[in-house]
Amino acid sequence: MTGRPEPLFPLFAGLETLPGVGPKTAKLLANLAVATPKDLIFTLPTSGVDRTPVASVRDAVLPGVVTVPVTVGHHIAPSARGRPYRIEVEDAKTTFQVVYFRGSADLHARSLPTGQRRIISGKVELYDGVAQMPHPDYVLSENETLPAFEPIYPLTAGLAAKLMRRAVDAALLRVPEMPEWVDSQVVAEKSWPGFADALRQAHHPEDARDLSPGTVARQRLAYDELFAHQVTLALARSTERRRKGVVTEGDGRLRRKVLAALPYKPTVAQQRCVQEIADDMAAPRRMNRLLQGDVGSGKTLVALMSLLTAVEAGGQGVLMAPTEILARQHAEGLRPLADAAGVVLELLTGRDKGKERQAKLDALARGDIQILVGTHAVFQRDVAFDDLRLAVIDEQHRFGVRQRMLLGEKAATTDVLVMTATPIPRSLALTQYGDMDLSVLDEKPPGRTPIQTATVPVSRMDDVVAKLRAAVTEGRQAYWVCPLVEESEVVDTTSAEERFRSLRAALGEGVVGMVHGQMPPAEKDAAMADFIAGRTSVLVATTVIEVGVNVPNASIMVIERAETFGLAQLHQLRGRVGRGAAASTCLLMYKAPLGETAEARLRILRESGDGFRISEEDLALRGAGDVIGTAQSGLPRFRVADLERHAALMELASRDARALLSRDPALETDRGRAARMLLWLTEQDRALRLLSVG
Ligand code: ADP
Ligand code: MG
């Protein structure tokens, strides 16, 4: 990439080039992830202190910060060791004292000489009925002024407000006149100031209202960050889309057969998504698409129809699931439909070994297997396809970005469809998947009765078990999810085993089954198979059943210690029931007393079954990182933008970025060059790399 534009150099110089900043301050700033003047200007004040001068401390509410002109009276040296040094001062209406516990008499005499006028500012409190200002923040001569509203920055210990303010002001002077990179219509509509003005306004608030994320200055700066990020994603997306793909066009003959064999009609949303995917596959570029749909919205059928399109075109397709259980279930569910269409579908997981595995690999390489379903085992090095056209990745949030990359290596031209049931707020979806095209299943198949959700304290365990016994007698089936006590599979397993024993004792030997991650695979399969076939009525499980598992007859979900789970996870777990026609129940058991947030979260679940709404609320309750799982979320860190408060701006930024890139793919027009400036300023290295190779 060509170098950073020269006008930006001063902003990327060392912090110590700023007046008043030495190695010690630089180190403190490093704790705020501030390494350059550029970082400093994007660090906005989080609060402020009103320093509007008043005539007298009598006019102020005490204790409180007061700025007041005074005449300095006489100094009172400490009467004994450990007593403070006092200075009498007189304002327009009264006298009070400035108090020092440190510093020499000399120093105090110089800063507050008897008989002189000074403006002092600091916290005033009443001490034995006498007003005192211990250690003023400011002592100024009468011709000096303070900002009426002093911005306060997020501080690390030991970094004085004054110093920070000075450093920021010096850094602001280094901001060059920038060309406008935001769409002029947006700027006009929102009445946004230019970049440099926005910075100056944001750093010089006039009152507390100016600190709100809704001010034009802060909106503008948040937009700049979001826009820079969206330009990066849009660049990645357009680079991706320019990548050659294979034209995969089916003739519909296999899909028609499957539709005829289906006991139901696809929803309008399913039909729309199938069409969007087919259109994308038919285009001569590589598809990189996200299918988002709440639990139970019928993503599997969309996947199958798309895989069949690949087969109709003479190619192969692969469906990758995150767990063995899920892969198996997909294979079993899809096989009858594949049979109906005369398509060969095979399962490949880590359990396939030796000759059998080799036979499958050979068949796959010859093209005799048309649809492969499996776990990540399908992407092992020695798995070779004859003509892989489409890869579907189910329940994406379980896979890291790394697996997505791996897939890219295996199949450079293969169309990719990622499916996720983690309903994430649109602003987050744009942040995380802005480089992908999006299809949304926003409609659930008809005929589902909503799930009744209730919260019950653990202390009522006996009632719950009694109700469960009654339900089982009526032929209903239930999941019982055991608490996620610690991030430890072993601990979870122990609690599951205990619950398994106690429920068996209460409900009867053959009635209760169990699955957890530590069981030998064959036992897990057997337990699942027993439950699916209705041989067992209650399945005790750890969160291994969280994703995808589909047993339509199961209509009760009990989740123990629900308060320890994430909201999205609870919604996923609950989504395991409510899949058949019978009315379903979800019992969230909690240990009292509940904290405020925990209570709010469980309430959201009780009130809503809409995954998208739940995720919006979740975002409001927690930070953005948490919603997707912080570590692998891959979310960028914004300094000004707040994904929750500025969600609408993210949409705008995304549209704006895509529009800009479609008109000016190499960012060469005036506005394009301005956008490059922003990319440099916000250190969007990925974008800059893409631009230099593109
Ligand atoms: P998810 O989106 O959570 O993966 P699934 O694909 O597992 O959902 O579908 C959930 C259930 O809904 C399955 O039992 C499936 O057979 C059923 N289903 C899917 N599409 C329809 C439809 N259009 N009408 C009725 N039932 C459907
Ligand atoms: Mg699914």
Side-chain angles (χ1 to χ4, degrees):
M1 57 185 128
T2 48
R4 174 185 297 142
E6 228 172 293
L8 297 182
F9 284 5
L11 284 173
F12 285 85
L15 280 174
E16 292 165 43
T17 61
L18 293 169
V21 180
K24 215 177 109 212
T25 309
K27 217 161 144 201
L28 289 170
L29 284 168
N31 295 338
L32 294 171
V34 170
T36 59
K38 186 272 299 178
D39 295 334
L40 205 51
I41 60 174
F42 282 115
T43 305
L44 299 187
T46 45
S47 63
V49 178
D50 189 351
R51 297 209 190 263
T52 317
V54 293
S56 169
V57 290
R58 283 235 181 120
D59 304 335
V61 181
L62 303 183
V65 173
V66 181
T67 304
V68 59
V70 294
T71 305
V72 183
H74 57 269
H75 289 222
I76 309 158
S79 55
R81 268 184 81 84
R83 306 299 304 252
Y85 189 98
R86 299 168 180 278
I87 304 163
E88 290 221 312
V89 294
E90 184 181 1
D91 65 26
K93 297 183 186 166
T94 185
T95 56
F96 62 100
Q97 292 188 337
V98 171
V99 177
Y100 287 104
F101 293 89
R102 293 185 303 272
S104 65
D106 233 31
L107 201 73
H108 303 320
R110 251 181 291 138
S111 84
L112 287 165
T114 306
Q116 301 277 311
R117 295 282 295 166
R118 288 289 184 273
I119 298 167
I120 58 176
S121 183
K123 190 165 176 194
V124 176
E125 52 204 21
L126 289 172
Y127 191 79
D128 281 344
V130 181
Q132 294 193 339
M133 184 187 288
H135 294 269
D137 301 329
Y138 293 93
V139 175
L140 307 173
S141 66
E142 267 197 306
N143 50 21
E144 288 177 286
T145 51
L146 272 176
F149 188 74
E150 184 184 38
I152 303 293
Y153 290 90
L155 293 187
T156 56
L159 192 55
K162 242 183 286 188
L163 210 159
M164 183 74 178
R165 200 153 52 83
R166 246 182 96 202
V168 167
D169 281 338
L172 283 176
L173 290 176
R174 298 187 179 190
V175 177
E177 259 331 295
M178 297 278 197
E180 183 55 85
W181 46 72
V182 180
D183 183 69
S184 53
Q185 215 175 323
V186 173
V187 175
E189 246 165 55
K190 305 262 181 194
S191 316
W192 281 345
F195 173 71
D197 279 338
L199 276 175
R200 280 189 285 268
Q201 288 174 26
H203 283 286
H204 301 125
E206 283 172 7
D207 53 36
R209 278 180 315 222
D210 285 351
L211 298 168
S212 135
T215 62
V216 284
R218 285 194 185 227
Q219 291 232 6
R220 149 93 216 207
L221 296 173
Y223 188 82
D224 290 333
E225 272 187 316
L226 298 174
F227 182 61
H229 175 64
Q230 286 301 323
V231 169
T232 300
L233 291 176
L235 267 168
R237 173 173 171 266
S238 64
T239 310
E240 195 66 42
R241 286 170 72 88
R242 253 180 290 139
R243 202 177 285 199
K244 263 208 176 24
V246 179
V247 173
T248 299
E249 228 173 340
D251 55 11
R253 86 200 121 85
L254 301 176
R255 282 171 284 176
R256 270 194 296 279
K257 284 187 193 158
V258 165
L259 285 181
L262 272 184
Y264 50 77
K265 221 171 108 25
T267 62
V268 173
Q270 281 171 323
Q271 292 173 34
R272 190 192 63 239
C273 288
V274 166
Q275 192 58 48
E276 284 170 6
I277 294 162
D279 288 348
D280 213 354
M281 289 172 71
R285 50 164 198 262
R286 186 177 180 198
M287 175 170 82
N288 188 27
R289 184 170 284 275
L290 179 71
L291 175 64
Q292 210 189 8
D294 204 349
V295 276
S297 58
K299 291 184 292 297
T300 318
L301 180 67
V302 175
L304 177 64
M305 298 303 264
S306 307
L307 291 165
L308 289 173
T309 307
V311 178
E312 284 169 11
Q316 294 164 295
V318 61
L319 170 61
M320 177 162 79
T323 64
E324 179 89 28
I325 291 179
L326 207 51
R328 228 154 256 282
Q329 186 185 283
H330 273 323
E332 276 154 27
L334 294 180
R335 193 167 281 126
L337 294 172
D339 286 348
V343 168
V344 181
L345 180 148
E346 209 28 276
L347 174 72
L348 183 72
T349 74
R351 276 190 234 166
D352 289 292
K353 299 260 152 64
K355 269 206 218 104
E356 261 175 71
R357 176 168 186 276
Q358 196 51 52
K360 281 184 189 176
L361 295 191
D362 292 343
L364 194 65
R366 282 194 307 270
D368 289 350
I369 295 172
Q370 291 157 305
I371 296 179
L372 185 68
V373 175
T375 54
H376 51 259
V378 300
F379 290 116
Q380 274 160 12
R381 199 135 299 205
D382 59 342
V383 179
F385 292 82
D386 172 43
D387 181 11
L388 180 62
R389 297 291 186 88
L390 174 67
V392 181
I393 305 178
D394 194 15
E395 310 293 356
Q396 148 81 8
H397 68 293
R398 280 295 169 119
F399 289 107
V401 176
R402 208 165 52 89
Q403 270 109 340
R404 227 165 104 188
M405 303 297 247
L406 248 175
L407 173 65
E409 283 168 28
K410 173 139 310 241
T413 57
T414 300
D415 289 329
V416 177
L417 179 68
V418 169
M419 305 202 290
T420 175
T422 322
I424 48 181
R426 207 172 144 69
S427 60
L428 283 189
L430 284 170
T431 309
Q432 215 189 7
Y433 301 114
D435 58 338
M436 305 181 90
D437 292 293
L438 185 64
S439 288
V440 182
L441 275 179
D442 47 10
E443 176 192 0
K444 285 201 184 173
R448 304 262 169 86
T449 33
I451 305 165
Q452 289 291 338
T453 301
T455 45
V456 193
V458 223
S459 55
R460 284 181 45 205
M461 179 68 77
D462 290 347
D463 291 353
V464 173
V465 173
K467 286 230 178 73
L468 189 61
R469 190 183 302 117
V472 164
T473 322
E474 288 168 19
R476 295 174 71 183
Q477 282 182 290
Y479 294 98
W480 188 296
V481 178
C482 290
L484 199 73
V485 184
E486 274 163 51
E487 290 291 310
S488 145
E489 186 87 22
V490 182
V491 178
D492 294 346
T493 303
T494 320
S495 69
E497 275 166 350
E498 264 167 34
R499 185 58 63 214
F500 174 59
R501 275 192 296 274
S502 73
L503 286 178
R504 248 190 357 178
L507 304 174
E509 283 284 309
V511 178
V512 188
M514 169 169 69
V515 280
H516 61 67
Q518 304 280 290
M519 274 162 61
E523 277 181 38
K524 250 196 285 193
D525 289 351
M528 277 315 291
D530 284 345
F531 189 62
I532 291 167
R535 287 189 290 272
T536 50
S537 301
V538 178
L539 186 65
V540 175
T542 53
T543 50
V544 290
I545 58 145
E546 175 189 346
V547 286
V549 175
N550 189 26
V551 181
N553 189 51
S555 61
I556 299 169
M557 168 65 67
V558 181
I559 304 173
E560 256 187 79
R561 296 297 304 274
E563 78 277 12
T564 62
F565 294 88
L567 206 42
Q569 203 175 18
L570 288 172
H571 178 63
Q572 284 285 327
L573 286 169
R574 179 171 61 177
R576 298 307 112 219
V577 296
R579 302 186 149 243
S584 296
T585 311
C586 175
L587 283 184
L588 303 172
M589 298 189 76
Y590 64 89
K591 190 165 164 213
L594 277 180
E596 210 175 296
T597 315
E599 200 182 320
R601 286 164 58 213
L602 296 188
R603 182 169 355 104
I604 293 167
L605 275 176
R606 252 192 343 251
E607 287 169 1
S608 178
D610 175 352
F612 285 94
R613 208 203 116 199
I614 290 171
S615 73
E616 299 281 355
E617 304 261 0
D618 200 16
L619 178 61
L621 284 176
R622 313 187 283 152
D626 283 356
V627 178
I628 331 190
T630 332
Q632 20 71 292
S633 71
L635 278 181
R637 311 244 272 125
F638 297 116
R639 281 183 190 271
V640 181
D642 174 326
L643 286 180
E644 180 203 330
R645 295 203 167 96
H646 296 126
L649 289 184
M650 181 64 102
E651 283 221 57
L652 187 60
S654 169
R655 271 201 312 260
D656 194 4
R658 286 187 183 198
L660 173 64
L661 262 298
S662 71
R663 283 194 308 271
D664 182 9
L667 297 184
E668 284 161 344
T669 60
D670 281 353
R671 189 170 165 227
R673 278 205 302 277
R676 276 173 187 257
M677 198 75 144
L678 173 67
L679 295 175
W680 278 108
L681 188 64
T682 50
E683 298 183 278
Q684 296 287 334
D685 293 349
R686 182 172 164 213
L688 294 162
R689 257 196 319 274
L690 286 172
L691 279 171
S692 66
V693 292

